[in-house]
Amino acid sequence: MVIHDDLYLISMAARMLEMHPQTLRKYERLGLVRPSRKLGSVRVYSREELDRLRLIKHLVDEVGVNLAGVGRLLSVADSVERLRPLAHDASLARSEAGGGSRRSSIACATLLGL
């Protein structure tokens, strides 16, 4: 059942992902996803959370990563996403000031995928 555009109850999310609802609950218990709660304790999944669940499913089913490994990979990916704007701002500041090591800026940007 769709509650709002792009928000799905656990049963609909599980069906869309071809997963069992208990699997989604397990992933939440492990901290791999954090669905919001609506109407009391009803789990609601956004498009972003569905994308994250698809990634988890791919890593587990097709790549063979265990759930502890998935947790570590997601943690690193989340850290990179938080650092990306900082690295971009620092790079802009150095280029505007005309100083700094261009080589280290390029290396950092490459590492962060900028």
Side-chain angles (χ1 to χ4, degrees), residues 52-65 70:
R52 187 174 178 101
L53 285 163
R54 281 186 191 94
L55 174 61
I56 294 168
K57 183 177 182 178
H58 171 76
L59 290 171
V60 170
D61 294 347
E62 297 175 30
V63 180
V65 179
V70 169

Side-chain angles (χ1 to χ4, degrees), residues 99-114:
S101 169
R102 176 148 172 78
R103 202 174 295 162
S104 66
S105 297
I106 292 170
C108 184
T110 302
L111 176 66
L112 295 175
L114 298 176

Side-chain angles (χ1 to χ4, degrees), residues 36-113:
S36 55
R37 304 282 179 146
K38 301 284 184 198
L39 309 169
S41 63
V42 177
R43 291 172 179 86
V44 201
Y45 293 85
S46 67
R47 284 273 179 203
E48 292 80 22
E49 288 156 337
L50 292 179
D51 290 341
R52 187 174 178 101
L53 285 163
R54 281 186 191 94
L55 174 61
I56 294 168
K57 183 177 182 178
H58 171 76
L59 290 171
V60 170
D61 294 347
E62 297 175 30
V63 180
V65 179
N66 65 26
L67 292 177
V70 169
R72 293 189 71 116
L73 288 170
L74 292 175
S75 176
V76 168
D78 291 344
S79 296
V80 168
E81 284 303 310
R82 285 192 307 272
L83 290 173
R84 189 180 308 262
L86 298 174
H88 183 69
D89 291 346
S91 177
L92 286 176
R94 275 194 294 276
S95 66
E96 288 173 359
S101 169
R102 176 148 172 78
R103 202 174 295 162
S104 66
S105 297
I106 292 170
C108 184
T110 302
L111 176 66
L112 295 175

